[in-house]
Amino acid sequence: MMNNDSQNTNKQKDDPAISGKSIADDFSVSLKKESGAATEKNKEKKISIAVLNELPAKVKNDVINLIPEEVARKYKIAAFEKKGNLVKIAAVDPQDINALNALRFVAEKEEIELDIYQTSEGIFEDILNFYSGPSEMIKKAVTSFKQGNVDDLEITGIKKTSEKEILKDAPLAKLVQVVISHAIEGKASDIHIEPMEGDYRVRFRVDGILHVSLVLPKEIGPAVISRIKILANLKIDEKRKPQDGRFRLNNEGKDIDFRVSTLPVIDGEKVVMRILDKEGGVANIESLGLVGEALENMKLAIRETYGMILITGPTGSGKSTTLYALLKILNSEERNIVTLEDPIEYNIEGLNQSQIKPEIGYTFASGLRTILRQDPNVIMVGEIRDAETAELAVHAALTGHLMFSTLHTNTAIGAIPRLIVMGIEPFLLSSSLRLVVAQRLVRRICEDCKEKKEVPDSVKKKVMEEISRISKEELKKQGLDLEKGIDFYHGKGCDKCNGTGLKGRVAIYEVIPVNENVKNIITEKRGNEELITKERDALGVLTIKQDGLIKIVKGLTTIEEVERVTEGSITLSEENDA
């Protein structure tokens, strides 16, 4: 981005930090007063500054808006990067006294230091485009569409254009870029573009909740979807059946993958883009929210040389993320780890990851048969969907392989009778199963606006009753001392969390080890849920509800969040909104 060779060797930390008379003074005279007249050569050396000869890939909204757009256009100055207290400024004429005094005013007002880069008229005009938010880009796209400047992609077909050209060519393409950039900045996991009766709605899923971000005019929506199809190498003229594709973009130096899915709906075609941040995708197991006895049981289970570990929960409850975190622990040169996934969400170095393709007969079952001939130590099957896959997974776990998989059940205990109903013999299941886990995701309280919250005594009493059933040993492992009392927290709302009071997510878990008693119940009682529940309680295993309550008392999340994902199972009074 920057031409480091042309950096001014005479720039010092206080130049141009707006300390002194004015920026104009800093650039027009020497910082040290010298006796005698300076030669033209010396003047030139002191005035020389760095050069910006390439357009920045991205300029954040809060940076570009440090200088109002009308001021930027008038004096041809614009902020394009900020690191700590230092802001980099692009200027067409760095020696323009009026421009420098305008910068001095900005620096004093914002209490920042400035580093000025000379740039060309062309690059400066491109930087000004970063002032355009989604609403401005929509206006430009509509104008261009009406003037006939936008290709009718549905008729002319796909142009052979590079990905960079596609994103930066027409106003429509820039609109797609703006939508994607805003989604990434907002930490969204998915972008939904869906036709409504009179327009197209753009929604972002942030921390598991969908929010309307933008509304597109009806004439622009189909062209935006066509642009996304081009990026994902999909057929733009195929609208009668669903399509799936992927593309990759570089955002601020990070490669981010997008998984694209199209779906025909009554008013047109809907597109959903899953945002897959390859670098930030795989977390440590502790940071996900697994602590105490549950963490110890999990670590014991993954040290086994064979057996099956099942993670249960509805779609979007973070099962795959937990599996990746476990595989990250096991990932070493001594182990051959093979995964079967649909789709592969994150590429992890050291793992052999395989994408199933049911349309050509490559399913979880057929893939698992092949994997067993690949001499694996650890196998991860994305999901057990049918009896054949379940049977193969159990046999793999019994023949010297550590097997990880997921199952769509509402409870951890419910996974056991589900597998038996699928046709797995109880004696085989009891011999292979090591651990069964249930999990949900709750939104974290924003740390920037977190504060204590007063709740009714009746609510405190019910929470204390629930927590008092947890053993003292477990509470100690969780770092809780109930003798000091309990506090409740919430986020009052700030700019960092967009006023929601919630930012990020943490998982709540129920981790049930399959001990000898549970094995006997599986074999002799065909996995009777009531008996396994009693054994779970006797072992002192935290339920999802109890783990949620602990995270409430720790100040990680709120009562409302835990009730939302546990379907109100805390059974608190209606006063909990107080």
Side-chain angles (χ1 to χ4, degrees):
M1 186 187 300
M2 309 300 171
N3 184 353
N4 293 327
D5 293 335
S6 61
Q7 291 280 2
N8 177 17
T9 56
N10 284 337
K11 274 193 176 180
Q12 300 178 19
K13 290 182 180 179
D14 58 345
D15 177 25
I18 325 305
S19 57
K21 298 176 182 177
S22 74
I23 297 180
D25 293 333
D26 291 335
F27 279 99
S28 60
V29 297
S30 170
L31 290 174
K32 277 189 176 182
K33 288 187 178 179
E34 298 178 5
S35 59
T39 64
E40 288 298 315
K41 184 177 178 182
N42 284 338
K43 279 186 181 179
E44 187 177 329
K45 186 177 179 182
K46 287 164 189 170
I47 296 172
S48 67
I49 61 172
V51 176
L52 177 67
N53 54 18
E54 191 174 317
L55 178 69
K58 172 66 182 165
V59 179
K60 292 184 177 179
N61 288 335
D62 58 337
V63 175
I64 194 76
N65 287 314
L66 284 171
I67 299 174
E69 185 174 0
E70 57 273 19
V71 175
R73 291 185 181 278
K74 180 177 180 180
Y75 297 112
K76 296 187 177 182
I77 51 175
F80 65 91
E81 189 177 325
K82 183 179 182 182
K83 288 184 179 179
N85 200 39
L86 180 66
V87 176
K88 295 181 179 180
I89 303 292
V92 173
D93 181 5
Q95 298 181 52
D96 181 343
I97 299 299
N98 293 326
L100 291 170
N101 282 326
L103 286 174
R104 178 176 180 271
F105 174 79
V106 170
E108 290 178 346
K109 178 185 174 186
E110 301 291 338
E111 297 182 350
I112 54 178
E113 297 183 358
L114 303 182
D115 201 359
I116 301 179
Y117 288 71
Q118 185 170 11
T119 193
S120 66
E121 289 271 5
I123 291 176
F124 179 76
E125 287 299 321
D126 286 337
I127 291 175
L128 290 179
N129 287 331
F130 287 108
Y131 279 103
S132 299
S135 58
E136 289 298 319
M137 293 308 302
I138 290 173
K139 290 177 184 176
K140 290 180 182 179
V142 172
T143 302
S144 183
F145 191 89
K146 289 178 178 177
Q147 292 173 348
N149 295 331
V150 178
D151 296 330
D152 186 352
L153 297 171
E154 300 169 24
I155 297 173
T156 61
I158 300 175
K159 286 186 172 183
K160 290 185 178 178
T161 326
S162 72
E163 183 179 286
K164 191 173 182 181
E165 288 171 331
I166 289 170
L167 276 177
K168 294 187 177 179
D169 182 26
L172 272 175
K174 288 187 178 179
L175 174 58
V176 172
Q177 184 185 25
V178 168
V179 169
I180 289 174
S181 297
H182 278 242
I184 294 171
E185 283 181 20
K187 306 293 184 186
S189 61
D190 301 86
I191 303 171
H192 293 239
I193 303 175
E194 46 205 352
M196 310 304 288
E197 190 172 340
D199 47 42
Y200 276 69
R201 180 174 64 179
V202 179
R203 293 192 289 173
F204 296 161
R205 187 179 292 279
V206 181
D207 294 335
I209 306 297
L210 278 170
H211 303 277
V212 176
S213 170
L214 194 60
V215 176
L216 303 174
K218 198 167 186 67
E219 64 267 30
I220 295 298
V224 168
I225 288 175
S226 292
R227 285 288 184 181
I228 294 168
K229 282 183 168 183
I230 290 174
L231 288 172
N233 289 320
L234 302 179
K235 296 178 181 178
I236 59 174
D237 56 347
E238 178 56 79
K239 299 184 175 182
R240 298 168 300 171
K241 62 182 182 181
Q243 296 185 76
D244 294 302
R246 296 174 76 102
F247 66 92
R248 178 178 295 175
L249 291 178
N250 187 281
N251 184 71
E252 296 183 5
K254 291 200 305 183
D255 283 336
I256 297 179
D257 288 340
F258 294 82
R259 192 177 78 226
V260 179
S261 173
T262 69
L263 178 71
V265 292
I266 192 167
D267 290 315
E269 196 174 17
K270 174 179 177 176
V271 167
V272 175
M273 290 186 282
R274 169 64 57 88
I275 302 172
L276 305 170
D277 185 348
K278 295 174 64 181
E279 294 182 16
V282 183
N284 293 321
I285 194 69
E286 290 87 350
S287 67
L288 295 177
L290 196 60
V291 292
E293 186 79 16
L295 178 61
E296 292 173 9
N297 286 331
M298 183 72 83
K299 287 185 173 179
L300 281 173
I302 66 175
R303 288 195 194 108
E304 298 282 349
T305 56
Y306 72 96
M308 185 160 64
I309 296 171
L310 277 180
I311 301 183
T312 70
T315 301
S317 57
K319 300 186 297 296
S320 296
T321 303
T322 298
L323 284 178
Y324 280 125
L326 296 175
L327 293 179
K328 185 179 178 182
I329 296 172
L330 296 171
N331 191 8
S332 67
E333 291 182 358
E334 294 78 25
R335 292 189 181 93
N336 178 21
I337 303 176
V338 188
T339 74
L340 270 179
E341 303 176 56
D342 183 26
I344 297 173
E345 296 195 3
Y346 302 103
N347 296 328
I348 304 175
E349 187 176 352
L351 268 58
N352 301 289
Q353 296 172 268
S354 184
Q355 165 78 55
I356 71 161
K357 296 179 180 177
E359 64 272 15
I360 61 171
Y362 184 39
T363 62
F364 281 124
S366 63
L368 190 47
R369 282 196 192 91
T370 303
I371 282 177
L372 292 173
R373 295 193 288 271
Q374 290 282 317
D375 186 32
N377 300 106
V378 180
I379 302 170
M380 191 269 270
V381 174
E383 183 185 344
I384 294 176
R385 295 177 180 173
D386 52 53
E388 188 180 9
T389 306
E391 185 179 356
L392 287 166
V394 168
H395 281 288
L398 289 171
T399 54
H401 306 95
L402 191 57
M403 166 66 66
F404 294 89
S405 193
T406 70
L407 201 62
H408 282 284
T409 58
N410 289 327
T411 63
I413 293 171
I416 294 170
R418 171 72 64 84
L419 288 170
I420 293 173
V421 168
M422 280 184 171
I424 304 300
E425 291 291 342
F427 73 93
L428 292 176
L429 184 59
S430 65
S431 301
S432 61
L433 199 58
R434 292 285 178 269
L435 200 73
V436 60
V437 181
Q439 75 174 79
R440 301 289 189 276
L441 290 176
V442 293
R443 291 182 288 175
R444 287 179 180 267
I445 296 172
C446 174
E447 291 295 329
D448 292 288
C449 60
K450 181 177 176 180
E451 63 180 14
K452 286 186 179 180
K453 176 186 177 182
E454 289 298 321
V455 300
D457 290 338
S458 58
V459 174
K460 280 188 178 180
K461 184 179 178 182
K462 288 188 177 183
V463 171
M464 282 297 293
E465 285 175 1
E466 284 285 349
I467 293 181
S468 64
R469 295 172 188 163
I470 301 171
S471 68
K472 291 182 179 179
E473 292 78 11
E474 178 62 28
L475 290 174
K476 186 176 180 181
K477 290 176 183 177
Q478 295 279 351
L480 287 178
D481 184 2
L482 298 184
E483 292 181 1
K484 296 179 180 178
I486 59 175
D487 293 311
F488 296 83
Y489 298 85
H490 75 143
K492 63 182 179 181
C494 65
D495 291 338
K496 295 288 181 68
C497 61
N498 293 320
T500 63
L502 301 162
K503 186 180 179 184
R505 289 190 287 180
V506 64
I508 55 177
Y509 290 94
E510 181 176 319
V511 179
I512 304 174
V514 180
N515 62 8
E516 289 302 319
N517 289 340
V518 174
K519 288 180 180 180
N520 290 335
I521 296 169
I522 294 173
T523 304
E524 298 171 10
K525 303 294 183 182
R526 296 184 64 83
N528 183 283
E529 289 191 52
E530 187 177 345
L531 293 175
I532 296 177
T533 300
K534 288 181 180 178
E535 178 61 22
R536 177 200 67 188
D537 294 342
L539 287 171
V541 170
L542 288 182
T543 64
I544 276 191
K545 177 173 67 173
Q546 289 172 330
D547 194 30
L549 288 172
I550 284 176
K551 287 179 169 66
I552 290 170
V553 174
K554 281 184 172 182
L556 297 176
T557 190
T558 65
I559 293 175
E560 293 79 11
E561 273 298 294
V562 174
E563 286 204 318
R564 177 178 65 84
V565 301
T566 57
E567 299 173 350
S569 62
I570 297 178
T571 62
L572 299 176
S573 69
E574 294 179 357
E575 295 175 281
N576 65 350
D577 289 327

